[in-house]
Amino acid sequence: MIDLQDVAHTLLRSGKGILADDETDVHADKWLAAHGIEGGEEMRRKFRNLFLAAPDNEKYLSGVILFEGTLTQKADDGTLFTELLAKKGILPGIKVDQGLEPFPEGGKETITKGLIGLPERLMEFRAKYGTGFAKWRAAITIEGTQLPTAQAIHENAKRLALYALEVQKAGMVPIVEPEVLLEGNHSRLRAREVVAETISAVISSLEDQGVDITGVILKTSMVLSGNKSGKMDTPEEVAEDTVGVLLENAPKDLAGIVFLSGGQSTEQATANLRAIEALAKEKNAPWPLTFSYARALQDEALTIWQGKDENIPAAREAFITRLKEDACFTLADSAC
Ligand code: 13P
């Protein structure tokens, strides 16, 4: 019998965080293209290899969220990525949602797909590839006071809870990710309201479905002004609203909370994490908090790499330097 709390605590141990390396093939190719790198199966494998096989990443990573296609891919030395991670003591996780669709049809909001056949997929991922945790992302859009609608929040919350229940039944830890999108001209105050409403709906749904909260990791957005608002929040403002909203809405027996970077620059995501961790310690927040970034951990390295083998050492050095800095804030006595 797997102790889900143990797994969650291992993922959330201090000095470490979780890499989200789970872009779909389409998104990975788009991201590579944005860095001037031609995509395709082999280039995506090299892209995963750059980060997953980076020496010393195990010093700062407790887990990595993988995309399904990566489960069968191998590192340069022929080892399956999942085995390579396990050997390093990094727990492999798996994104199990199957993307977004408009909700309702033709609308601006979205609902996340992937519940059909989920129990069977989870069993296979765990038995064949040793995945210890899973992720499901919902996306919540802010537009003035009209969006999000209560229906979109509640339907997404319900699906997150149904997913989490199946993941726990399969002996894995669910990462529950209701991302409140940065896109828009909304204020930070409005973002705070929406994050509060979203988290509280998700927690109610988890409770309604009988999910064991002590074995759940919440993955949340930081509270930020919209990216078209013209306002650049200071790290102290972000920390005040983010830690505040979590203390008000996240139950203290959650296993822990991790942050997505959501389109912030790498520097912003690092500075905001630093301020959040410091304030959470000051306020004796009851949960471990760490990062689970994709873009804010990988962007600098991709810019250096350019898809060329000769650039791998420098790209990895940038990745490890960023990881080390972000991970340091999670230490109890951080002098980062
Ligand atoms: P970003 O850090 O790039 O937002 O990605 C995190 C993630 O897992 C989104 O689902």
Side-chain angles (χ1 to χ4, degrees):
M1 187 64 186
I2 306 272
D3 185 331
L4 296 179
Q5 286 179 35
D6 270 3
V7 176
H9 292 154
T10 304
L11 283 169
L12 295 158
R13 65 194 185 275
S14 74
K16 305 214 180 204
I18 298 171
L19 171 66
D21 199 23
D22 61 343
E23 305 79 17
T24 61
D25 289 350
V26 173
H27 276 115
D29 280 354
K30 271 195 201 156
W31 198 20
L32 291 172
H35 288 85
I37 304 166
E38 198 171 329
E41 176 77 15
E42 175 56 12
M43 194 52 94
R44 286 195 298 271
R45 189 200 66 76
K46 287 186 173 194
F47 155 57
R48 307 299 187 191
N49 189 72
L50 178 68
F51 297 102
L52 302 182
D56 287 344
N57 61 0
E58 69 277 9
K59 290 188 182 161
Y60 313 108
L61 290 176
S62 56
V64 176
I65 312 169
L66 300 169
F67 177 61
E68 204 171 326
T70 311
L71 295 178
T72 50
Q73 283 185 326
K74 292 177 178 164
D76 286 353
D77 70 357
T79 318
L80 274 178
F81 282 125
T82 49
E83 282 168 19
L84 175 79
L85 292 171
K87 272 191 210 149
K88 282 170 169 268
I90 299 174
L91 191 62
I94 178 79
K95 167 192 170 75
V96 296
D97 69 69
Q98 296 178 321
L100 310 175
E101 61 188 1
F103 176 79
E105 217 173 306
K108 285 187 186 168
E109 298 187 284
T110 57
I111 188 78
T112 305
K113 299 179 285 186
L115 287 173
I116 297 167
L118 181 61
E120 295 75 19
R121 289 197 294 134
L122 290 169
M123 285 304 172
E124 186 189 339
F125 296 149
R126 192 155 113 72
K128 265 199 186 162
Y129 304 104
T131 57
F133 66 107
K135 178 189 113 171
W136 176 287
R137 172 180 176 263
I140 303 294
T141 303
I142 306 183
E143 193 177 278
T145 50
Q146 286 83 46
L147 302 185
T149 58
Q151 294 92 312
I153 290 182
H154 286 99
E155 188 57 29
N156 274 302
K158 189 168 134 202
R159 291 194 188 187
L160 278 164
L162 291 169
Y163 139 84
L165 189 65
E166 291 304 337
V167 172
Q168 289 190 338
K169 279 193 206 157
M172 289 158 65
V173 168
I175 293 188
V176 166
E177 182 183 11
E179 174 173 356
V180 173
L181 299 171
L182 188 61
E183 282 71 34
N185 56 14
H186 50 272
S187 65
R188 197 176 65 256
L189 184 65
R190 175 71 180 132
R192 178 173 173 151
E193 248 171 42
V194 173
V195 171
E197 205 183 329
T198 302
I199 292 179
S200 93
V202 169
I203 299 300
S204 303
S205 289
L206 292 171
E207 285 165 355
D208 289 350
Q209 297 298 334
V211 176
D212 174 9
I213 296 273
T214 64
V216 168
I217 297 174
L218 174 68
K219 179 160 175 171
T220 182
S221 307
M222 296 176 184
V223 176
L224 298 158
S225 303
N227 62 359
K228 297 191 186 77
S229 66
K231 167 93 167 75
M232 180 58 81
D233 309 303
T234 66
E236 291 67 33
E237 289 171 334
V238 175
E240 191 63 39
D241 280 323
T242 303
V243 175
V245 86
L246 292 174
L247 287 172
E248 283 163 20
N249 296 283
K252 62 176 183 329
D253 49 353
L254 266 177
I257 300 176
V258 297
F259 295 99
L260 57 97
S261 60
Q264 300 178 67
S265 73
T266 302
E267 288 75 21
Q268 241 185 316
T270 294
N272 289 337
L273 183 69
R274 177 202 294 264
I276 288 171
E277 296 277 359
L279 188 63
K281 278 178 202 130
E282 199 182 305
K283 297 201 177 234
N284 288 318
W287 342 262
L289 299 170
T290 190
F291 59 86
S292 176
Y293 297 160
R295 285 166 285 182
L297 283 175
Q298 297 173 312
D299 237 356
E300 293 163 308
L302 285 182
T303 304
I304 297 169
W305 178 44
Q306 294 171 352
K308 296 185 184 137
D309 288 353
E310 64 268 29
N311 295 335
I312 291 175
R316 284 183 170 160
E317 194 183 321
F319 171 55
I320 296 294
T321 303
R322 181 60 61 182
L323 262 184
K324 186 176 179 179
E325 187 169 3
D326 288 348
C328 182
F329 310 139
T330 71
L331 293 167
D333 53 352
S334 60
C336 312

